[in-house]
Amino acid sequence: MSDTQLHDSVTADTTSPGELLLRQREALGVPLIDAARALNLRPAVVEGLEQDNYAEIPVTAYRRGYLRAYARYLGMDDRLVLDAYQVQNGSTDTERKVAPVSVSRPPSKVGAWLFKLVTLLVIVGLIAVTVMWWQSRGGSEPPSMGASPSVEEEEALNATTEREPTPTSEPAVASAPQLTEEEAETQPAPMAEVTDEATQAAAMVVAGSGTPASDASEEEPAAEATPAAASNTLELTFNEQSWTEIFDASNQRVFVGLQTPGTTASVEGEPPFRLTVGNATGVELRYQGEVIDLPQRAGANNVARFTLGE
């Protein structure tokens, strides 16, 4: 064994790795800051390596790596430094577990903004679906409180409309009653000569009904009263499905419901009438014998809201 190897072996056995590194750096005249900059380490870590203080380096693998890198930077044999470290810390060197550092971050402003945006979009979507649903029923705004029919009312009204026949105005002249043979013999004979066509028609009515002429004249005022009652009647024909609501002068709802195609209705009440007719182009309305132009009174959503009989 040469003297140099013997000297290195004795030095490695008696000298700590930090002393070896410190002596070599001072011998080369390298400042501590320059060494730390070259190794890309903090000066406190490099100084701890030279002082054999590894508090800044709790992981054993990192200590060996830093010692090896520092020795090579100073031009030394890294095995001498690592052997000295093994001699000094071989029996007591245990790795320390590094506890994970929990970092509490404040809530992201971008996440809060996105949450508000999504909430707003959901609300707008619900409103749009509600409006589309209401327009599909033929209305542009919800009916007033207290006047909107419930689902049960609409079903009951529809069922009643389907079961009950549509009321019609009674004819002015009643149908002729059936006469027995004795009553037929006691009735006066029809007029023999009739020159005026109107007189002939009146005679035919009197003779066919078996009612004296005086009785027929008494029924004329009753027949004249029928048009007066019919003047307050609304006649509706639904060619298409329509939701219709009618109020009279006393603010009483006289007609309401969702009508199916082919349905007719006759509504009586005290004018003026307030009407709301959905799908106005599919409904025909007569009032006092005149046809009411519903499409002309309908708005952009094909719903007519107007008053008759003012």
Side-chain angles (χ1 to χ4, degrees), residues 55-307:
E56 297 288 339
I57 313 171
V59 182
T60 304
Y62 289 172
R63 296 177 188 174
R64 295 178 181 275
Y66 292 161
L67 290 171
R68 181 183 292 108
Y70 196 8
R72 291 178 180 178
Y73 169 72
L74 298 176
M76 300 175 60
D77 186 358
D78 55 352
R79 289 178 298 177
L80 296 176
V81 177
L82 294 177
D83 291 342
Y85 174 81
Q86 183 66 26
V87 171
Q88 184 179 11
N89 303 286
S91 59
T92 60
D93 193 5
T94 57
E95 293 189 4
R96 296 168 55 188
K97 295 184 179 180
V98 179
V101 179
S102 60
V103 180
S104 59
R105 298 180 179 179
S108 175
K109 294 183 179 180
V110 177
W113 182 82
L114 288 176
F115 176 77
K116 293 180 180 179
L117 179 61
V118 171
T119 304
L120 179 61
L121 290 177
V122 171
I123 295 174
V124 172
L126 292 176
I127 295 174
V129 170
T130 304
V131 172
M132 292 175 62
W133 171 80
W134 178 249
Q135 288 183 348
S136 66
R137 296 191 60 188
S140 60
E141 56 180 338
S144 58
M145 297 300 294
S148 58
S150 62
V151 177
E152 291 78 5
E153 289 180 340
E154 291 186 4
E155 294 178 354
L157 288 171
N158 293 336
T160 304
T161 306
E162 294 177 358
R163 290 197 301 268
E164 296 181 355
T166 304
T168 57
S169 58
E170 298 181 356
V173 180
S175 60
Q178 299 292 332
L179 300 177
T180 62
E181 294 180 358
E182 296 178 356
E183 291 177 346
E185 293 176 356
T186 58
Q187 296 302 319
M191 299 177 64
E193 295 181 359
V194 180
T195 57
D196 186 26
E197 294 181 357
T199 306
Q200 183 179 2
M204 292 176 64
V205 172
V206 173
S209 62
T211 304
S214 59
D215 295 341
S217 62
E218 291 178 357
E219 291 181 358
E220 289 180 359
E224 293 177 355
T226 302
S231 63
N232 297 336
T233 302
L234 300 171
E235 297 180 357
L236 300 100
T237 301
F238 300 94
N239 299 323
E240 298 178 8
Q241 190 179 42
S242 171
W243 191 88
T244 303
E245 185 179 37
I246 303 175
F247 291 86
D248 63 0
S250 61
N251 201 27
Q252 181 179 359
R253 186 168 59 187
V254 295
F255 184 80
V256 66
L258 180 65
Q259 307 302 320
T260 57
T263 304
T264 60
S266 180
V267 181
E268 295 183 1
E270 185 68 24
F273 298 97
R274 291 188 293 108
L275 296 91
T276 300
V277 182
N279 196 11
T281 56
V283 182
E284 297 179 7
L285 173 63
R286 289 180 177 271
Y287 179 63
Q288 295 182 351
E290 298 182 0
V291 178
I292 306 301
D293 190 358
L294 290 179
Q296 184 179 3
R297 299 171 182 263
N301 54 0
N302 199 20
V303 177
R305 291 184 176 85
F306 58 97
T307 303

Side-chain angles (χ1 to χ4, degrees), residues 15-84:
T15 307
S16 67
E19 293 179 357
L20 293 174
L21 294 172
L22 176 61
R23 292 175 183 177
Q24 184 67 14
R25 181 179 64 79
E26 292 179 346
L28 297 175
V30 178
L32 179 65
I33 298 177
D34 292 345
R37 187 181 299 111
L39 296 173
N40 197 20
L41 297 174
R42 292 183 292 109
V45 176
V46 177
E47 185 177 3
L49 292 174
E50 295 179 350
Q51 299 296 328
D52 298 317
N53 182 10
Y54 305 110
E56 297 288 339
I57 313 171
V59 182
T60 304
Y62 289 172
R63 296 177 188 174
R64 295 178 181 275
Y66 292 161
L67 290 171
R68 181 183 292 108
Y70 196 8
R72 291 178 180 178
Y73 169 72
L74 298 176
M76 300 175 60
D77 186 358
D78 55 352
R79 289 178 298 177
L80 296 176
V81 177
L82 294 177
D83 291 342

